[in-house]
Amino acid sequence: MSTEQGWAAPRAEGPVTGRITVPGSKSISNRALILAAIADGPSHLSGLLAARDTALMRSALVSLGVGISDSDSGATVTVTPGSLKGPANVDCGLAGTVMRFVPPVAALADGVVAFDGDPYARERPMGVILGALRTLGVQIDDAGTGRMPYTVSGTGSVRGGRVTLDASGSSQFVSALLLAGARYDEGVDLRHDGKPVPSQPHLDMSVAMLRERGVSVDDGEPNRWVVAPGPIRALDTAIEPDLSNAAPFLAAAVITGGEVTVTGWPSQTTQPGDQLRDIFTRFGAEVSRTDDGLTVRGTGRVQGVDLDLSEVGELSPVIAAVAAFADGPSYLRGIAHLRNHETDRLAALETEFNALGGDVTQTADGLEIRPKPLRGGLFGTYRDHRMAHAAAVLGLLVDGLEIENIGTTAKTLPEFPELWSGLAG
């Protein structure tokens, strides 16, 4: 229920048990939309996520001249490539995949494409991808800010070629150029120079999806990706469930000693959320996967952990919430890049957990969490869906916790409030 302050997080009355089916992966959905938009024919996408981030991606591509239509049942989306052209206006909202993946495609359009987004989106650094596109021959006007708003002035083609960038802030900088690179005249020879690129599974996802569509990608040399020029084959695609969005539901079993099954968990996947199997095992839970899905059983004890989350940073808020109920301190490492996500997630987690009586400290690259009894209060989400997920997990065991702006979960899982209430209740 909602109050004038926020959404009252459901309190668990005992071990949480149940079965959950989560919608399609946002990461796969938006990559599939991008690739289908510049493919050599129409593609049919089933199980595509219907959420704010995918709606923004669809609108962006349609504004560029791509045809996108839903089947009568809504189960399948057909993407028909068109002649990319401006003028066009792209609303990125707060979606990293839109603000990073669409500009390299817009560069292929004939005309001017303007990009803007939510107020906080204007604070997110874009200079790396904009600078790389300039190196590849694209005309961009960002008034020297390296941030939105900016315009991409396309001529219908992109020279491409070799470019070096520092992608230590986000793997999306690399994925963005890989996804469109095959359509550039010389392809893309992309080299990373800097600290390790975070979220390696998301890079693996981009490469795998390109290869499925017949694109030649050579990633045999560390920190280098070479995409050969050529067509992107149209491919009908079934979108996997979003494993990252499964995190709070499985976490509910861990901290309450319950048992939760997420149906349809793939046997093989490039989604970073698959690492939840190991992460929750290290917290002390029992984890098993069958043809039915993934089941997590809490054992009544939550152990403190020391985790390198550099590949799965998006899971950090929910993992931090689980760690708040452990029997000892936890250390979450390798996530300095979260300071440039939907919000500064490290600062936000420290602030909100400590406001409830917690003991959380930022480090250079992560968080130290020392469990303490928590009290109720209003938990700020900072327009960040993962912060809302973390708050919901805390609320299972904390009386009187309210979540500010639960509607922010519509970014990737509009059904979250109903699914959560059904499970917790």
Side-chain angles (χ1 to χ4, degrees):
M1 62 177 289
S2 296
T3 70
E4 291 184 359
Q5 280 196 304
W7 189 73
R11 179 73 157 81
E13 299 302 324
V16 171
T17 62
R19 293 168 55 84
I20 290 289
T21 300
V22 293
S25 162
K26 180 264 293 184
S27 297
I28 296 176
S29 291
N30 274 355
R31 282 168 172 77
L33 284 167
I34 284 281
L35 291 169
I38 53 177
D40 60 6
S43 300
H44 306 285
L45 312 179
S46 59
L48 190 78
L49 175 66
R52 189 187 185 212
D53 275 21
T54 48
L56 289 166
M57 180 65 83
R58 289 177 60 154
S59 295
L61 296 174
V62 168
S63 74
L64 293 173
V66 178
I68 300 180
S69 60
D70 295 275
S71 64
D72 291 341
S73 66
T76 304
V77 174
T78 299
V79 181
T80 305
S83 177
L84 301 179
K85 59 186 183 301
N89 292 293
V90 173
D91 176 10
C92 299
L94 199 54
T97 50
V98 178
M99 65 183 72
R100 273 75 177 261
F101 293 177
V102 177
V105 174
L108 291 163
D110 186 1
V112 177
V113 183
F115 288 81
D116 205 349
D118 292 357
Y120 184 73
R122 292 186 170 197
E123 300 176 27
R124 298 185 73 175
M126 290 291 299
V128 171
I129 189 69
L130 300 183
L133 287 171
R134 288 191 180 101
T135 299
L136 297 173
V138 181
Q139 180 180 340
I140 293 170
D141 181 5
D142 62 354
T145 66
R147 302 175 191 273
M148 287 192 285
Y150 57 82
T151 59
V152 175
S153 299
T155 60
S157 65
V158 176
R159 183 189 71 243
R162 178 174 173 175
V163 62
T164 299
L165 52 73
D166 181 355
S168 58
S170 174
S171 66
Q172 289 178 352
F173 295 137
V174 175
S175 287
L177 296 170
L178 298 185
L179 293 171
R183 292 291 312 277
Y184 294 176
D185 295 344
E186 299 176 15
V188 170
D189 182 349
L190 178 61
R191 300 155 193 250
H192 162 67
D193 183 13
K195 295 179 180 178
V197 180
S199 303
Q200 181 65 40
H202 279 123
L203 281 178
D204 296 339
M205 177 186 294
S206 297
V207 170
M209 292 181 70
L210 283 163
R211 287 173 174 160
E212 287 172 349
R213 290 157 178 80
V215 177
S216 172
V217 184
D218 182 355
D219 60 350
E221 181 180 327
N223 296 317
R224 184 183 181 192
W225 301 263
V226 181
V227 179
I232 297 172
R233 187 173 65 240
L235 182 69
D236 294 346
T237 304
I239 309 297
E240 298 174 0
D242 193 313
L243 307 187
S244 294
N245 275 338
F249 302 102
L250 297 174
V254 178
I255 66 170
T256 67
E259 178 175 321
V260 173
T261 297
V262 173
T263 63
W265 199 280
S267 58
Q268 291 186 318
T269 180
T270 54
Q271 288 191 66
D274 193 44
Q275 294 190 30
L276 287 168
R277 295 189 294 167
D278 175 64
I279 290 169
F280 287 143
T281 298
R282 294 177 67 176
F283 272 116
E286 297 174 355
V287 180
S288 60
R289 198 199 71 80
T290 66
D291 291 341
D292 184 44
L294 186 80
T295 298
V296 171
R297 302 176 186 84
T299 59
R301 180 194 175 195
V302 181
Q303 301 168 178
V305 294
D306 190 331
L307 297 172
D308 179 351
L309 300 179
S310 57
E311 293 189 347
V312 290
E314 64 190 19
L315 303 178
S316 300
V318 165
I319 292 169
V322 174
F325 301 113
D327 58 10
S330 291
Y331 305 90
L332 310 185
R333 310 180 191 275
I335 48 176
H337 60 286
L338 296 191
R339 294 189 168 99
N340 291 315
H341 274 218
E342 281 79 348
T343 187
D344 179 341
R345 283 180 173 162
L346 300 186
L349 290 166
E350 179 185 49
T351 297
E352 298 306 316
F353 278 49
N354 291 349
L356 302 179
D359 185 1
V360 176
T361 304
Q362 289 188 67
T363 65
D365 74 336
L367 297 170
E368 293 183 9
I369 302 167
R370 291 165 291 278
K372 290 178 60 178
L374 301 178
R375 57 178 177 269
L378 182 66
F379 191 101
T381 61
Y382 305 77
R383 308 165 300 276
D384 186 338
H385 58 143
R386 304 296 183 198
M387 291 292 292
H389 292 170
V393 173
L394 293 177
L396 291 173
L397 297 180
V398 177
D399 290 326
L401 191 147
E402 295 190 339
I403 304 174
E404 175 263 334
N405 188 18
I406 191 65
T408 194
T409 55
K411 176 180 172 66
T412 57
L413 186 56
E415 306 92 332
F416 180 79
E418 293 74 26
L419 288 172
W420 189 256
S421 295
L423 182 71

